Amino acid sequence: TQLLEQSPQFLSIQEGENLTVYCNSSSVFSSLQWYRQEPGEGPVLLVTVVTGGEVKKLKRLTFQFGDARKDSSLHITAAQPGDTGLYLCAGAVQGAQKLVFGQGTRLTINP
Amino acid sequence: GAVVSQHPSRVICKSGTSVKIECRSLDFQATTMFWYRQFPKQSLMLMATSNEGSKATYEQGVEKDKFLINHASLTLSTLTVTSAHPEDSSFYICSVRHGHEQYFGPGTRLTVT
């Protein structure tokens, strides 16, 4: 059973456009992480959100954790070709050490 | 800088042989490490949780006798793929949890011929 539904799974847009990736669940998470992965490399941690309603910004990336800590979004403004990659959300279920991963969003930014 | 290292980064082995992959936590001690595998164009799949000084906890469907995990110290966990077959070819990634964050190694590409 997939606890984290990530959408869209594929997204191809032009440079300069904005985009949003969503992660939704019926489960409550004690924390949620967003990662970016390049081909042949391990995922790199972008951000961790812990508090319901929390918003974190990382340059052109804005991360939001839902009030009920069941969902999260990643918004990228003015996307650049360097943003191309696989974006993964992962949630930590309360009381468990392991992470639950979304299916991933393969993002392509065309020059 | 890197928080987690893996060795080797790539390995090719013949069917029937065994391969050992090392995962090291560089910045802090880790009583728990995680092993994942990832198939092309897919997300990460947790294989097992490695516990320092005790037995690993395997996810459903993962054969513990085939994927041997040894967490002998607070900074090193090893995954040995025994009697490897071509279907074991995959990208294996370890991770270390520190507080709320989980950091991943660079991965090991295993190809079984």
PDB file of all heavy atoms in Angstrom, chain A residues 11-17 79-82 84 107-111:
ATOM      1  N   LEU A  11       6.723  15.616 -15.480  1.00  0.00           N
ATOM      2  CA  LEU A  11       6.397  16.996 -15.795  1.00  0.00           C
ATOM      3  C   LEU A  11       7.509  17.566 -16.654  1.00  0.00           C
ATOM      4  O   LEU A  11       8.684  17.524 -16.274  1.00  0.00           O
ATOM      5  CB  LEU A  11       6.239  17.812 -14.509  1.00  0.00           C
ATOM      6  CG  LEU A  11       5.796  19.262 -14.641  1.00  0.00           C
ATOM      7  CD1 LEU A  11       4.447  19.346 -15.344  1.00  0.00           C
ATOM      8  CD2 LEU A  11       5.695  19.914 -13.265  1.00  0.00           C
ATOM      9  N   SER A  12       7.109  18.096 -17.797  1.00  0.00           N
ATOM     10  CA  SER A  12       8.074  18.700 -18.706  1.00  0.00           C
ATOM     11  C   SER A  12       7.575  20.095 -19.060  1.00  0.00           C
ATOM     12  O   SER A  12       6.491  20.243 -19.629  1.00  0.00           O
ATOM     13  CB  SER A  12       8.219  17.851 -19.980  1.00  0.00           C
ATOM     14  OG  SER A  12       9.135  18.452 -20.873  1.00  0.00           O
ATOM     15  N   ILE A  13       8.321  21.119 -18.680  1.00  0.00           N
ATOM     16  CA  ILE A  13       7.885  22.489 -18.915  1.00  0.00           C
ATOM     17  C   ILE A  13       9.042  23.312 -19.475  1.00  0.00           C
ATOM     18  O   ILE A  13      10.191  22.870 -19.485  1.00  0.00           O
ATOM     19  CB  ILE A  13       7.369  23.154 -17.618  1.00  0.00           C
ATOM     20  CG1 ILE A  13       8.476  23.211 -16.568  1.00  0.00           C
ATOM     21  CG2 ILE A  13       6.148  22.432 -17.082  1.00  0.00           C
ATOM     22  CD1 ILE A  13       8.091  24.014 -15.333  1.00  0.00           C
ATOM     23  N   GLN A  14       8.702  24.527 -19.900  1.00  0.00           N
ATOM     24  CA  GLN A  14       9.711  25.424 -20.452  1.00  0.00           C
ATOM     25  C   GLN A  14      10.393  26.229 -19.344  1.00  0.00           C
ATOM     26  O   GLN A  14       9.801  26.505 -18.295  1.00  0.00           O
ATOM     27  CB  GLN A  14       9.083  26.373 -21.468  1.00  0.00           C
ATOM     28  CG  GLN A  14       8.555  25.689 -22.727  1.00  0.00           C
ATOM     29  CD  GLN A  14       9.657  24.962 -23.476  1.00  0.00           C
ATOM     30  OE1 GLN A  14       9.612  23.747 -23.663  1.00  0.00           O
ATOM     31  NE2 GLN A  14      10.651  25.730 -23.915  1.00  0.00           N
ATOM     32  N   GLU A  15      11.598  26.588 -19.618  1.00  0.00           N
ATOM     33  CA  GLU A  15      12.363  27.440 -18.700  1.00  0.00           C
ATOM     34  C   GLU A  15      11.564  28.713 -18.410  1.00  0.00           C
ATOM     35  O   GLU A  15      10.966  29.303 -19.317  1.00  0.00           O
ATOM     36  CB  GLU A  15      13.702  27.797 -19.339  1.00  0.00           C
ATOM     37  CG  GLU A  15      14.607  28.651 -18.482  1.00  0.00           C
ATOM     38  CD  GLU A  15      15.956  28.895 -19.144  1.00  0.00           C
ATOM     39  OE1 GLU A  15      16.168  28.393 -20.273  1.00  0.00           O
ATOM     40  OE2 GLU A  15      16.809  29.559 -18.533  1.00  0.00           O
ATOM     41  N   GLY A  16      11.538  29.111 -17.136  1.00  0.00           N
ATOM     42  CA  GLY A  16      10.828  30.327 -16.752  1.00  0.00           C
ATOM     43  C   GLY A  16       9.436  30.098 -16.206  1.00  0.00           C
ATOM     44  O   GLY A  16       8.863  30.983 -15.562  1.00  0.00           O
ATOM     45  N   GLU A  17       8.882  28.939 -16.463  1.00  0.00           N
ATOM     46  CA  GLU A  17       7.539  28.641 -15.962  1.00  0.00           C
ATOM     47  C   GLU A  17       7.585  28.234 -14.485  1.00  0.00           C
ATOM     48  O   GLU A  17       8.645  27.911 -13.945  1.00  0.00           O
ATOM     49  CB  GLU A  17       6.892  27.527 -16.795  1.00  0.00           C
ATOM     50  CG  GLU A  17       6.622  27.920 -18.232  1.00  0.00           C
ATOM     51  CD  GLU A  17       5.915  26.827 -19.017  1.00  0.00           C
ATOM     52  OE1 GLU A  17       5.660  25.747 -18.453  1.00  0.00           O
ATOM     53  OE2 GLU A  17       5.628  27.050 -20.207  1.00  0.00           O
ATOM     54  N   ALA A  79      11.369  28.217 -13.279  1.00  0.00           N
ATOM     55  CA  ALA A  79      12.184  27.006 -13.369  1.00  0.00           C
ATOM     56  C   ALA A  79      13.338  27.178 -14.361  1.00  0.00           C
ATOM     57  O   ALA A  79      13.216  27.863 -15.391  1.00  0.00           O
ATOM     58  CB  ALA A  79      11.311  25.825 -13.781  1.00  0.00           C
ATOM     59  N   GLN A  80      14.455  26.559 -14.024  1.00  0.00           N
ATOM     60  CA  GLN A  80      15.648  26.605 -14.855  1.00  0.00           C
ATOM     61  C   GLN A  80      16.066  25.190 -15.238  1.00  0.00           C
ATOM     62  O   GLN A  80      15.754  24.242 -14.522  1.00  0.00           O
ATOM     63  CB  GLN A  80      16.769  27.307 -14.090  1.00  0.00           C
ATOM     64  CG  GLN A  80      16.445  28.741 -13.718  1.00  0.00           C
ATOM     65  CD  GLN A  80      17.542  29.389 -12.903  1.00  0.00           C
ATOM     66  OE1 GLN A  80      18.583  28.784 -12.623  1.00  0.00           O
ATOM     67  NE2 GLN A  80      17.302  30.632 -12.503  1.00  0.00           N
ATOM     68  N   PRO A  81      16.792  25.025 -16.329  1.00  0.00           N
ATOM     69  CA  PRO A  81      17.232  23.686 -16.741  1.00  0.00           C
ATOM     70  C   PRO A  81      17.965  22.933 -15.641  1.00  0.00           C
ATOM     71  O   PRO A  81      17.879  21.708 -15.557  1.00  0.00           O
ATOM     72  CB  PRO A  81      18.144  23.968 -17.940  1.00  0.00           C
ATOM     73  CG  PRO A  81      17.572  25.216 -18.525  1.00  0.00           C
ATOM     74  CD  PRO A  81      17.138  26.043 -17.331  1.00  0.00           C
ATOM     75  N   GLY A  82      18.657  23.654 -14.767  1.00  0.00           N
ATOM     76  CA  GLY A  82      19.366  23.019 -13.665  1.00  0.00           C
ATOM     77  C   GLY A  82      18.448  22.411 -12.624  1.00  0.00           C
ATOM     78  O   GLY A  82      18.900  21.661 -11.746  1.00  0.00           O
ATOM     79  N   THR A  84      16.157  20.341 -13.405  1.00  0.00           N
ATOM     80  CA  THR A  84      15.804  19.019 -13.922  1.00  0.00           C
ATOM     81  C   THR A  84      16.288  17.920 -12.985  1.00  0.00           C
ATOM     82  O   THR A  84      17.417  17.975 -12.495  1.00  0.00           O
ATOM     83  CB  THR A  84      16.414  18.818 -15.321  1.00  0.00           C
ATOM     84  OG1 THR A  84      15.787  19.737 -16.223  1.00  0.00           O
ATOM     85  CG2 THR A  84      16.212  17.403 -15.828  1.00  0.00           C
ATOM     86  N   LEU A 107      11.101  15.633 -13.290  1.00  0.00           N
ATOM     87  CA  LEU A 107      10.926  16.984 -13.822  1.00  0.00           C
ATOM     88  C   LEU A 107      11.967  17.277 -14.885  1.00  0.00           C
ATOM     89  O   LEU A 107      13.158  17.054 -14.668  1.00  0.00           O
ATOM     90  CB  LEU A 107      11.046  18.006 -12.676  1.00  0.00           C
ATOM     91  CG  LEU A 107      11.007  19.485 -13.056  1.00  0.00           C
ATOM     92  CD1 LEU A 107       9.655  19.843 -13.642  1.00  0.00           C
ATOM     93  CD2 LEU A 107      11.303  20.352 -11.839  1.00  0.00           C
ATOM     94  N   THR A 108      11.497  17.792 -16.019  1.00  0.00           N
ATOM     95  CA  THR A 108      12.393  18.206 -17.103  1.00  0.00           C
ATOM     96  C   THR A 108      12.091  19.652 -17.430  1.00  0.00           C
ATOM     97  O   THR A 108      10.940  19.996 -17.716  1.00  0.00           O
ATOM     98  CB  THR A 108      12.193  17.346 -18.360  1.00  0.00           C
ATOM     99  OG1 THR A 108      12.404  15.974 -18.027  1.00  0.00           O
ATOM    100  CG2 THR A 108      13.166  17.762 -19.454  1.00  0.00           C
ATOM    101  N   ILE A 109      13.123  20.483 -17.369  1.00  0.00           N
ATOM    102  CA  ILE A 109      12.973  21.886 -17.720  1.00  0.00           C
ATOM    103  C   ILE A 109      13.691  22.106 -19.048  1.00  0.00           C
ATOM    104  O   ILE A 109      14.909  21.922 -19.156  1.00  0.00           O
ATOM    105  CB  ILE A 109      13.570  22.817 -16.655  1.00  0.00           C
ATOM    106  CG1 ILE A 109      13.019  22.447 -15.265  1.00  0.00           C
ATOM    107  CG2 ILE A 109      13.268  24.272 -16.999  1.00  0.00           C
ATOM    108  CD1 ILE A 109      11.524  22.561 -15.141  1.00  0.00           C
ATOM    109  N   ASN A 110      12.938  22.485 -20.038  1.00  0.00           N
ATOM    110  CA  ASN A 110      13.486  22.659 -21.388  1.00  0.00           C
ATOM    111  C   ASN A 110      13.941  24.097 -21.596  1.00  0.00           C
ATOM    112  O   ASN A 110      13.231  25.033 -21.283  1.00  0.00           O
ATOM    113  CB  ASN A 110      12.425  22.302 -22.429  1.00  0.00           C
ATOM    114  CG  ASN A 110      11.900  20.889 -22.234  1.00  0.00           C
ATOM    115  OD1 ASN A 110      12.653  19.928 -22.314  1.00  0.00           O
ATOM    116  ND2 ASN A 110      10.607  20.769 -21.943  1.00  0.00           N
ATOM    117  N   PRO A 111      15.162  24.275 -22.141  1.00  0.00           N
ATOM    118  CA  PRO A 111      15.684  25.635 -22.349  1.00  0.00           C
ATOM    119  C   PRO A 111      14.877  26.386 -23.398  1.00  0.00           C
ATOM    120  O   PRO A 111      14.241  25.791 -24.267  1.00  0.00           O
ATOM    121  CB  PRO A 111      17.122  25.399 -22.842  1.00  0.00           C
ATOM    122  CG  PRO A 111      17.404  23.955 -22.693  1.00  0.00           C
ATOM    123  CD  PRO A 111      16.109  23.237 -22.511  1.00  0.00           C
TER     124      PRO A 111
END
